[in-house]
Amino acid sequence: MNTGCQHGRSFVAEILYIDEAVESSRLIEKVRGQGSKVVKQEQLDLPVSNLTSYQELVAQHQLQSKTNVISLDKITVDKKLSKTTGFPEYRLVWRIVRQRVVDNIASVLDIDYLDKSLVPDLTREIGEHSIYAYLEETLKLNIAYARKEITIDHVSDQDQILLDIGRDQHVVSIKSQVYLADGRQFQYTESRHKLDKFRFVDFATRQKE
């Protein structure tokens, strides 16, 4: 699912139901002699079409949450990374990997790349608090819109280590290229979520040609 999203804008959403992913997330429980039944889960609504920071969601939902910065380094974008992120080759970027713990469960893994020419300094403390608050309040950057891709991915080795995966075989992956109001890309992020913890929602409108 590809989306272009902006503050305050909604779009016509396409919803894909993937049976295998749902079952592997324990939303469906097989009972001998009774077939399958839906298991009620406590899920958090995450907006798809808005650019909302994680800390804003924590405050909105009053979550018990902690952010652990796993790594922070500076790297040069190579050809492969350029194709993935949209940043040009040889661009110097920050790479920060963060684990989000919600209700004592490691539920989200965020992998962010930020253009160092636009974000000269980045610390673990900023990463633990809110990168967007730092960008907007300290650096005065005008964050405007993003292109998002949402997929159901097989669990990776990194997911197994840094998320409380349990029996899950899939995660929800949200890949975003994020831009300033002047059209410059400053960020690429991949956010990997446990299937049974979050529900992705949007307000859809009909547009006639």
Side-chain angles (χ1 to χ4, degrees), residues 46-64:
L46 293 184
V48 174
S49 62
N50 291 335
L51 275 175
T52 306
S53 75
Y54 181 79
Q55 291 303 329
E56 289 168 344
L57 289 172
V58 167
Q60 178 182 342
H61 292 284
Q62 298 181 330
L63 302 179
Q64 296 295 322

Side-chain angles (χ1 to χ4, degrees), residues 151-195:
T151 58
I152 304 294
D153 292 356
H154 285 285
V155 169
S156 68
D157 291 340
Q158 189 177 42
D159 297 330
Q160 291 279 9
I161 295 170
L162 296 175
L163 294 176
D164 290 329
I165 291 296
R167 294 178 297 165
D168 292 354
Q169 298 178 21
H170 300 83
V171 295
V172 177
S173 171
I174 305 178
K175 302 175 182 70
S176 305
Q177 293 174 318
V178 194
Y179 299 83
L180 301 177
D182 60 11
R184 289 180 295 173
Q185 181 186 349
F186 74 93
Q187 179 188 33
Y188 173 86
T189 182
E190 180 176 8
S191 188
R192 300 175 69 82
H193 298 73
K194 278 174 56 66
L195 284 168

